[in-house]
Amino acid sequence: MDVDWIVGIMVFLIFVGWAFSYYFALFEEEGNQFGVAAEIERGKIMDFLLVDVYGAPVRYDSPDVVNNGVLKAKSVWYAGEKNSTRVFSGSQSLPCRVSGDDLYWEADLAGGSNYFRIQIADVNETMNCTGTFGISSFNLTIPWAFEKKTILSLTKINEMENTDYEVFKDSLNLNEDFRIKAERPGGDTEYGRSIPEGAINVHSKEFRKLVFETPEIVNVTIAIW
């Protein structure tokens, strides 16, 4: 009798342990599946907000110091949208102007080597290079090879923000609800549904991204549930 009782207890404990393991495995698998689904949904959103940017360095050797010097690069639009063109000196955006297939920009030149960067993106926006400086006198430059990067776009963030939530969700074929917060020095942007209170599985991830339109770093948090 004692042996049967002990065996019965052991069988019961084994069954209970197996049951708990089974249910925990189910919950863990469900959580893993949701994590995978959330990553896919998040990827769709980030693919919308990111744009391909083509950048080329430019070096101009000036014999003298020149204030408000004008530089020119010919036919630089091998890729990207002409309206998105920007020219930088370090992190400073420079006045620029487009005339036909030529790009002009204005900058103070130091004697010796001066370095600039042309950037063009696959984003549809109004013309950025709207400078009014004269271009009758200029210094010709030859940009180096363009390199492609993927960068966050404020134009795409604004496009998302100005689109109805359900319309945006359907356009990206999203199956889960979401909320996006983009924190930047120029002002924060929040978009999407409010995260529900209570016991709900929320998958959140933060990205730190460079912005194409401005020399800013933006923290983007996307929550999926």
Side-chain angles (χ1 to χ4, degrees):
M1 291 291 294
D2 291 340
V3 173
D4 292 340
W5 182 81
I6 294 172
V7 171
I9 292 294
M10 291 180 63
V11 171
F12 174 76
L13 292 175
I14 291 172
F15 176 79
V16 170
W18 174 84
F20 274 112
S21 298
Y22 176 76
Y23 283 113
F24 283 141
L26 282 180
F27 289 133
E28 183 177 357
E29 182 178 357
E30 182 180 349
N32 290 338
Q33 289 177 346
F34 176 71
V36 171
E39 285 296 337
I40 294 173
E41 301 283 89
R42 189 177 292 107
K44 294 177 183 179
I45 296 172
M46 289 303 296
D47 284 347
F48 177 84
L49 299 178
L50 299 173
V51 296
D52 289 334
V53 176
Y54 308 88
V58 180
R59 188 183 79 180
Y60 177 72
D61 294 321
S62 177
D64 302 298
V65 174
V66 179
N67 293 324
N68 300 324
V70 177
L71 299 104
K72 172 182 175 179
K74 298 178 66 66
S75 303
V76 297
W77 296 282
Y78 304 109
E81 298 290 337
K82 182 181 288 189
N83 284 5
S84 71
T85 306
R86 286 164 168 75
V87 183
F88 294 91
S89 173
S91 61
Q92 179 185 4
S93 181
L94 299 176
C96 55
R97 178 174 171 179
V98 174
S99 179
D101 289 329
D102 298 329
L103 170 66
Y104 300 84
W105 66 94
E106 188 178 45
D108 293 333
L109 302 176
S113 296
N114 296 264
Y115 295 92
F116 308 96
R117 186 168 186 82
I118 299 171
Q119 287 193 335
I120 308 166
D122 283 330
V123 61
N124 195 7
E125 62 175 348
T126 57
M127 175 64 75
N128 176 70
C129 286
T130 56
T132 58
F133 53 86
I135 57 175
S136 57
S137 178
F138 57 82
N139 301 287
L140 183 64
T141 68
I142 301 177
W144 298 357
F146 278 83
E147 296 180 351
K148 177 182 172 182
K149 293 183 179 180
T150 303
I151 298 178
L152 187 71
S153 170
L154 289 182
T155 301
K156 300 296 286 186
I157 290 177
N158 292 335
E159 182 180 340
M160 175 190 69
E161 193 175 16
N162 292 325
T163 303
D164 176 79
Y165 174 81
E166 292 296 340
V167 172
F168 180 80
K169 185 178 176 181
D170 289 343
S171 70
L172 297 188
N173 195 27
L174 299 173
N175 300 309
E176 312 292 344
D177 282 319
F178 66 92
R179 185 167 187 82
I180 301 173
K181 184 175 183 180
E183 301 173 277
R184 64 186 187 93
D188 295 348
T189 298
E190 294 193 55
Y191 178 83
R193 297 241 187 258
S194 297
I195 299 176
E197 297 180 359
I200 185 169
N201 193 2
V202 179
H203 200 283
S204 182
K205 192 170 184 179
E206 182 178 299
F207 303 86
R208 186 172 173 83
K209 294 290 184 180
L210 178 68
V211 172
F212 166 66
E213 291 86 352
T214 61
E216 295 178 314
I217 299 293
V218 175
N219 291 324
V220 180
T221 303
I222 303 179
I224 307 285
W225 64 91

